[in-house]
Amino acid sequence: IRGANFRIVVDYAYSPTADVLPHILTELGVDVVPLAANVDGEKMSVTHAEFEKDLKELTLITGVLDRQLGVRLDVGGEKIFLVDHHGQRVPELVASAAMATLALRANPGGTIVVPVHMPSLFEQIAAEQNGQLLRCKVDLHDLMNMAAREDVIMAADGMGNFVFPQFQAAVDGLVTAAKLLEFLATQDTSLADVVDGLPDFHIDHRQVSCPWEAKGTVMRLLNQQYKDRRADLIDGIKILLGDGEWVLVLPDPDCPRVHVYAEARSDTEAQELTERYARIVEGL
């Protein structure tokens, strides 16, 4: 990392990570433009609109200053959000795929863990890099438990949370930032180049209101109706439709609603699948 002479932008979100990560990056010889680097308890909690505004500022600053990377950490230092050297935000799911690619290149034959609702893109990445893939529940605790298994080199949930169990089997945005710099330096590449090399994928997600008392009935009826086409019951009910298409119906653990995820050959077809199965759930 020291030899790569990285120049990056880091948004600390006024959080205590501003007391830790700068020292690490200084040791690594990284030239950093810091944003929101003073700890301020009144500014740590932000609305979604404010968060999006801050991310947009990060993209603009990273692009204008010609920096190799933009990084935003959440208040707890767990989640990480990324911007490439073009000043383009890298969506969290795409960032997970890029990190999986980099981690498997660095650790041939290693194992990656992702939740069951993430696209089959990850199977493709594992196959291309001669690695293995494990699926877990759509639950951070289960992700970390699976990450502790032997041979697992990385786990990601597609929402900005990463685990590198060789350090510790827990979500850690600071370690993720350092590992990303390590991968880019040792593989002499950029985040944008890795993203550009990813296979295409098309996935959609929508939520359906569902009373608490109806969730069990909905899942039982779906299980009966699609028992011949369902995948392993890791979490929710995943219905295999052929040609790489699938639908996952997953009860929300905290709210009176059900999530419907779908993957298909195009964005339009994925949206049609979530709409169709959302209507089926509503009907049940």
Side-chain angles (χ1 to χ4, degrees):
I1 296 174
R2 291 188 182 110
N5 298 313
F6 283 111
R7 300 165 64 248
I8 70 174
V9 182
V10 180
D11 185 341
Y12 296 99
Y14 300 105
S15 73
T17 56
D19 290 336
V20 181
L21 188 55
H23 302 292
I24 298 171
L25 295 175
T26 297
E27 284 290 314
L28 294 173
V30 180
D31 180 8
V32 180
V33 173
L35 305 177
N38 56 306
V39 180
D40 188 335
E42 294 184 0
K43 294 181 180 179
M44 282 192 227
S45 179
V46 297
T47 64
H48 180 70
E50 290 171 324
F51 171 76
E52 291 295 331
K53 177 176 174 289
D54 291 343
L55 268 183
K56 186 174 182 180
E57 288 179 358
L58 177 63
T59 64
L60 290 172
I61 292 169
T62 303
V64 169
L65 297 182
D66 193 27
R67 296 271 151 166
Q68 290 145 301
L69 196 66
V71 175
R72 159 115 183 182
L73 296 159
D74 75 343
V75 171
E78 296 178 333
K79 287 191 177 188
I80 186 170
F81 306 92
L82 300 172
V83 175
D84 67 21
H85 69 279
H86 298 304
Q88 297 292 319
R89 178 180 173 182
V90 180
E92 287 73 72
L93 181 54
V94 176
S96 294
M99 290 290 281
T101 302
L102 289 164
L104 286 170
R105 285 178 184 170
N107 301 271
T111 300
I112 299 292
V113 177
V114 298
V116 68
H117 72 303
M118 289 170 68
S120 54
L121 160 72
F122 289 88
E123 276 85 359
Q124 295 180 55
I125 291 171
E128 289 173 1
Q129 304 299 330
N130 297 314
Q132 304 295 320
L133 184 80
L134 291 176
R135 293 279 182 170
C136 68
K137 294 181 179 180
V138 186
D139 173 79
L140 206 53
H141 183 70
D142 194 49
L143 182 85
M144 291 188 287
N145 280 343
M146 294 278 282
R149 294 189 179 189
E150 188 177 358
D151 297 329
V152 173
I153 57 172
M154 193 198 84
D157 71 347
M159 292 182 285
N161 292 301
F162 293 87
V163 181
F164 286 91
Q166 291 166 326
F167 178 71
Q168 62 174 348
V171 173
D172 192 325
L174 280 69
V175 169
T176 303
K179 291 299 289 185
L180 176 56
L181 293 175
E182 174 193 314
F183 293 151
L184 297 179
T186 56
Q187 298 176 35
D188 191 25
T189 188
S190 70
L191 179 58
D193 287 343
V194 178
V195 169
D196 288 344
L198 294 173
D200 289 335
F201 67 95
H202 307 279
I203 196 163
D204 191 48
H205 167 233
R206 66 181 55 225
Q207 300 175 13
V208 184
S209 295
C210 181
W212 285 104
E213 62 273 15
K215 285 184 181 181
T217 301
V218 168
M219 300 306 290
R220 178 173 54 81
L221 292 173
L222 283 171
N223 190 37
Q224 293 173 353
Q225 187 172 344
Y226 296 101
K227 62 182 178 181
D228 295 332
R229 288 192 284 172
R230 71 185 184 214
D232 294 336
L233 296 177
I234 296 172
D235 200 5
I237 294 175
K238 194 169 190 177
I239 303 162
L240 304 178
L241 304 173
D243 294 329
E245 294 186 345
W246 54 262
V247 172
L248 174 69
V249 181
L250 182 69
D252 191 294
D254 303 313
C255 302
R257 63 190 176 208
V258 169
H259 298 272
V260 180
Y261 299 88
E263 183 173 19
R265 291 166 295 186
S266 69
D267 290 340
T268 300
E269 291 180 6
Q271 290 165 10
E272 289 173 351
L273 282 175
T274 54
E275 288 173 7
R276 184 191 313 161
Y277 281 84
R279 288 195 299 269
I280 290 172
V281 169
E282 287 170 348
L284 293 175

